[in-house]
Amino acid sequence: MVPKITTLSGYLHEYQKSVANPTGFWANIAETFYWHKKWDKILEWDFHNPKVEWFKGGKLNITENIFERNLFLRGEQKAIIWEPNDPNEAIREFTYNELFVEVQKFANVLKKHGVRKGDRVALYMPMIPELSIAMLACARIGAIHSIVFAGFSAKALAERIIDAEAKVVITADGGYRAHKVLRLKDVVDEALTQCPTISSNIVVKRTGGEVVWNEGVDYWWHDEMEGMEEVAPAEILDAEDPLFILYTSGSTGRPKGVLHTVGGYMIYTAYTFRNVFQYSSGDVFFCAADIGWITGHSYIVYGPLLEGAISVMFEGIPTYPDAGRYWDIIRKHEVNQFYTSPTAIRSLIAEGQEWVQDVNLPSLRVLGTVGEPINEEAWHWYHDHVGDNRCPIVDTWWQTETGGIMISAIAGVIPTKPAFASLPLPGIQPLIVDSEGNKLCGKGVQGNLCIKFPWPGMARSHWGDHKRYVESYFSQYKGLYFTGDGVKRDEDGYYRILGRMDDVINVSGHRLGTAEIENAINEHPLVSESAVVGFPHAIKGQGIYAYVVCTSIPKNAEEELKNSIKIGVSKMISPIARPDQIQFVNGLPKTRSGKIMRRILKKIAAKSTDYGDISTLTNPEIVEEIIEGNHKLIK
Ligand code: WT7
C-alpha cells in the first residue's frame, strides 16, 4: 500500500521532499506496487517540446496490482457494493475474489471477439457492475477502454468511436435513471450505422426491454460469459502503454481523447485516494460520480481498488425515490467517506431542510467535493448538516487531464477553509502567472493556474493528435502546463479556484466547450450564427446562454424555434448541453478582425452592467440592442 500522511508536519515534510527530489519521491511510492520488471528511468520530460514519461521500461499490469497483489490479504473482502436505482431491488456485492473471476472471464470474452493489446473498446453503459468489470477486463489484456457517458447522443457516441477506431462496443439493453428507462442499445444501434470499425456489440441485459437484434454484431453478455474460462493471464505492459482514452471538451472544436498511461496513472490515483480521503483498511468509500467521467474512473474504480478498498457504486440519482437517498445509502452501507459534487449538494439544499434535519450519519468521517467551485453556502450546509460539524470537507481540484486530485486538503490533516481547495498535494508544483506569463510569486495573488513540473497521473497526449495536446496545455505559457483555470492564492498560501478562463463552461460539474454547442446550434436550418457563454446558475453553477442570429424567425414562433434549437443540441451532443436561455439577436459584437467579443456577452448574460471598453467593436450599437433583448427575456 502507498504511504499515508497523517499529520500536518508530515504533509509539510513530504511536500518538501517531493519538490526537492520529485523522482526519488515518486520512485519510493512506485516501489510499493508489483512490477514484473523495474523501470529503466524514473522520469523523462520536456514541457517545451511536450513529452512526459514516467517509469519507462517498467513492466506491469494494473489489474495484477488490484487483484493478485490484494487477494492474499483481502480475497474475501468486499471490493464493490452496488446500490441499484430502485432501493427495493437487491444490492449486488463482489468480493475481490469474485470480481477477479468476472474480470478474467470477460477478458476471455474480449479475446474471443478478437480484442488484442492496444485495441480500443468503447463502453456505453449504465452504472452497473458490468461496467467496472468490462473496464478492468480491458486493462487485463492491455486493450484501451474509451468510456462514453451514457447520457451522450448517438452522434456524440459515433464521433468518439470513430475517432478512437474502436473494435468492440459494450452496452446494455437499457438503464434506469429515477423513473426513467434509458434505451441505450437503440442509441448504440443508431451510432453503429456510422462506425465501420466495430465488429461486435456486447449487450448486458439490464432492463429486459425490447431491442432490435443485429445478427453477427450483437452478442448478449450473459451468453458470452456462460461457461467461459475463469483464468486470463495479465498482459504485461510497459508503464507508458495506454490504459484508457476519455473524451472531454476543449475550448475549440470537437472533443479531445485524453490519453492516460498505465504506470503513472496507477501510482497517482492510488496515492491521492489513500491520502486525500485518509482511507483505512475496511472503510467503506462512496463516490457518487458516474464512471463515464474521470472522477468515476479514478475514485470509484482504479484508486480504491488498487488500495484494496470497499467501493460503493450507485446506479441512481440523489433525489430518487426522494431527497434522502444519499443519506439512506450512507446509513445502509455504513459509508465512511463520501464524495460528491457541489451541484448535487445545491440540488439537495433546494429540496428543503427536512431531508437533512434529523439525519444522523455516525459512520461518516470525511466529505469530499469535486468538479466545480463550491460556494460558501453549499459548503456550510454540507459541513453542518451532512457532516454534523465534525467531518472535514476535502474540496478537490483536478481535471480529466490530471488523472487524479491535485490541489486539496488532506482530510483531518490540512485545515480547511470554505471555498478553498487549499494546498497542493505532494509532487504538485503550481505556479500562478498573469496574462503575459509573468510569474506571480508570494501570497495574496490572482492569475492563471499553471503547473511547472510533471506528475505521474498527467495525461500524455490526445489520442491521435499530439499537436492538439501541445496546443491545449503548453502553448499559452512557455514551459508550463496551463490548466485553463483562474486561481487566487491568499495570505495563508491557500488556493481558491475561480473557474475557467477559456471558452469552456462548467455546467453541473460537466465540462462543455462553447464552440461545440455553437456548432450544434448552427446546424439548425434557420440559424446563421451563434455565440454561447456561461452565466451564473443557482443550482448548476453555470448555465448555458446562447445568443442566436437567425436567417428568419417565423411569425409568433419564437418559443417553438427556441425549443427546436434546444432539441437539436440534445440530439447532437447530449441533454447536458441544452441551452438554458436563448436570446435571438440581429448580430453579435465583433472586433475588427471578426472575432466575437465574448467578454461583453458574458457580462450581459450575468446581468452585470460594467461592459468594459467597447470602442474596438465594428458594431458597438449592437450592444445596447442585445442588453435590451436580455432585459425582455422571460426567465
Ligand atoms: C475542471 C475540470 C476533476 C473531475 C471532475 C471535473 C473544474 C474541478 C474543482 C474544484 C473548482 C473545479 C475546473 C477544472 N473543477 N474541480 N474542486 N473547484 N473548480 O473534471 O470535466 O475535466 O473539468 O473542473 O475548472 O479545470 P473535468
Side-chain angles (χ1 to χ4, degrees), residues 27-186:
N28 263 337
I29 295 166
E31 298 274 4
T32 66
F33 291 86
Y34 174 63
W35 301 79
H36 283 263
K37 173 187 163 284
K38 233 176 130 171
W39 47 89
D40 300 325
K41 189 149 190 216
I42 301 171
L43 171 67
E44 186 84 56
W45 74 291
D46 185 349
F47 274 5
H48 288 276
N49 238 327
K51 172 185 141 166
V52 175
E53 287 173 346
W54 282 94
F55 308 109
K56 181 105 171 159
K59 302 292 176 199
L60 78 162
N61 185 291
I62 196 168
T63 68
E64 285 187 325
N65 281 281
I66 289 175
F67 296 113
E68 280 91 337
R69 191 174 64 120
N70 281 322
L71 289 183
F72 179 67
L73 278 177
R74 303 191 175 77
E76 287 308 305
Q77 183 210 283
K78 281 177 248 176
I80 291 180
I81 301 175
W82 176 75
E83 172 76 24
N85 175 62
D86 176 353
N88 297 316
E89 193 184 334
I91 57 168
R92 290 170 71 192
E93 296 181 335
F94 295 79
T95 63
Y96 274 83
N97 281 329
E98 288 163 346
L99 190 65
F100 190 29
V101 170
E102 297 301 307
V103 167
Q104 294 185 88
K105 280 174 79 179
F106 197 68
N108 287 326
V109 171
L110 289 172
K111 281 200 251 177
K112 182 185 145 197
H113 284 265
V115 179
R116 299 284 174 268
K117 174 182 167 184
D119 288 343
R120 277 78 58 207
V121 177
L123 279 61
Y124 186 78
M125 298 176 77
M127 279 287 286
I128 53 177
E130 285 78 2
L131 170 53
S132 306
I133 292 165
M135 63 197 282
L136 294 171
C138 290
R140 186 78 181 167
I141 63 171
I144 305 168
H145 57 73
S146 166
I147 304 183
V148 180
F149 173 64
F152 277 112
S153 68
K155 183 168 180 293
L157 172 61
E159 245 169 43
R160 288 157 174 77
I161 291 177
I162 293 165
D163 187 77
E165 297 178 282
K167 206 171 193 176
V168 166
V169 59
I170 304 163
T171 188
D173 52 355
Y176 295 111
R177 192 181 151 80
H179 300 281
K180 281 190 262 177
V181 178
L182 311 172
R183 297 182 53 84
L184 301 180
K185 180 158 188 307
D186 289 357

Side-chain angles (χ1 to χ4, degrees), residues 295 371-373 395-400 485 497 500 506 511:
T295 307
E372 31 170 343
D395 175 355
T396 65
W397 173 84
W398 58 296
Q399 313 178 292
T400 304
D485 282 321
I497 309 296
R500 302 290 306 198
N506 191 330
R511 178 165 153 185

